Amino acid sequence: LFFSPPSQYKFRDLTIEELKNVSKTYPNFTFSMNTYTFKDGSQKDLLNFSGTVPVKYGNSYNIPIRLWILDSHPFAPPICFLKPTANMGISVGKHVDARGRIYLPYLQNWSHPKSTLIGLIKEMIAKFEEELPLYSLSSSDAARQSELLSYIAKITEGETDMKSRSKIGGKNEGCFNKITVVGAGDLGIACVLAVAAKDVADKVVLLDLSEGAAKGGTMDLEIFAVPNVEISKDFSASADSKVVVLTVNSLGNAQTYLDVIQSNVDLFRGIIPAVSHYSQNAVLLVASHPVEVMTFVSWKLSSFPKSRVIGVGANLDSERFQYILTNLLKAEVLAKDAWIIGEQGEEKVSSWASCNVVANQTEAMAACNSREKVANRAMEVLKGKGQRSWSVGLSVADLTDSILKDKRKVHSVSTLAKGCCNINSEVFLSLPCILGTSGVIEMVRLEEDPLVQEKLQSSAGSIHDLQQQLRL
């Protein structure tokens, strides 16, 4: 090949194969390595190629474009720009902004291996044939355009002072407590509002990956201007987030439960590498369903350490369980060590971090029986509580608060359970963990209860069997 991606590209063979196809189909394209400056001012040397694509709009036109290939390609979409000459003006429209940045449904729905560079360029041509992105300038306009193009070139080639301008009030934006919520459905919006209400973060980015214009809740967020909230369709807006919350769920036409989960996995293949690329030190907090499986998928696709990939798990149920014990059943002493663990849903089980020391075996037996009765009553009350979007959103805000503020507070979250309770497979289950800025700091030791261990092993077995059927 005329040009080979450097070693920083994680999937070099796949990238090379795609570049060969592009070069074969569009031989006028030229390839190079240049510095790209992201929105947050960070810079990276990236492979890029430029050339013209044929567009018929009455007459035939050759539209100049430039595509930047991220080092997580093909799992993250390229960044696309028009590359007009000095006598061309940019027609700002549905798919092109004033800088010449190109936005297409194909980019928003990018998912390897379905999405390819050739497929992207074909859609680009089709959209440009509906709405021509460039027009011819007069000589006076061309002079002004030349100045604009010079500035745009500096932006995309890393020669601006964006780093200095990214400082707000003397504090670099990268030092902010920034959270990104991926998915603008009811749960995503609930998470944004809960995080904003608790004043957890300095900035919240809501990544809306749906097609078309903003609708419903995202439009309302824009109308009523919730402070410190940015709505974007661009993954680069998530750069340098401390926590990335994943709320997306596939709305496809899957027939079976396995098909539904596989649709979510396919969705995550286009999301996780991209957000991991832009926020390489973030904690991934998964709220998508089923949370245990999707947390495992996020861990595998991100290559993050296990401590920095967690699921919301049984945090909401545990907080409710402790509240019921304390306020409804007046068992405050029991509540502080009580947890809901295991699998989210019907298979969850109550457990205890420690037990009170008693004088003899008879008293110990009586104490355990009494505790079991109270726990059963609390579980019955808990069963009547659904998990609505707003309640899960409050739970997410609670978890992000503990992480960002390094509270070292214990939460029951989905974490890698391998090595716990004789579980030997790579599965995620809810277990009480101490959380801080680096995610899971330590797992809290539970009482040894054979029935609880049996339930956890059963859940681990069924989850592992399900994971084995998925295509990652």
Side-chain angles (χ1 to χ4, degrees), residues 66 79 101 138 149 174 188 200 203 207 257 280 338 364 428 463:
R66 185 178 197 176
I79 300 169
R101 178 83 181 257
S138 65
L149 289 175
V200 172
K203 183 177 183 180
L207 272 184
Y257 182 56
Q280 297 180 9
F428 282 69
I463 292 170

Side-chain angles (χ1 to χ4, degrees), residues 81-136:
F81 282 91
L82 293 169
K83 196 179 179 184
T85 60
N87 63 344
M88 294 179 182
I90 296 170
S91 295
V92 177
K94 185 164 61 172
H95 302 301
V96 178
D97 68 14
R99 289 174 52 207
R101 178 83 181 257
I102 300 168
Y103 301 91
L104 297 169
Y106 200 97
L107 291 168
Q108 296 167 20
N109 301 318
W110 185 276
S111 176
H112 176 76
K114 181 178 65 175
S115 304
T116 65
L117 293 174
I118 295 294
L120 170 63
I121 295 170
K122 285 181 179 178
E123 178 170 296
M124 196 178 292
I125 293 170
K127 296 299 182 184
F128 289 169
E129 289 179 343
E130 294 173 8
E131 186 178 5
L132 202 63
L134 297 170
Y135 62 91
S136 181

Side-chain angles (χ1 to χ4, degrees), residues 288-333:
S288 302
H289 294 296
V291 67
E292 295 84 14
V293 175
M294 298 318 297
T295 308
F296 167 79
V297 170
S298 300
W299 177 53
K300 285 295 185 182
L301 292 177
S302 67
S303 299
F304 279 9
K306 63 181 182 180
S307 61
R308 289 201 284 117
V309 184
I310 60 178
V312 295
N315 182 62
L316 176 58
D317 280 335
S318 285
E319 295 291 340
R320 286 173 168 176
F321 187 58
Q322 292 172 3
Y323 180 88
I324 292 165
L325 288 171
T326 301
N327 296 283
L328 302 185
L329 302 180
K330 308 301 179 185
E332 187 175 356
V333 174

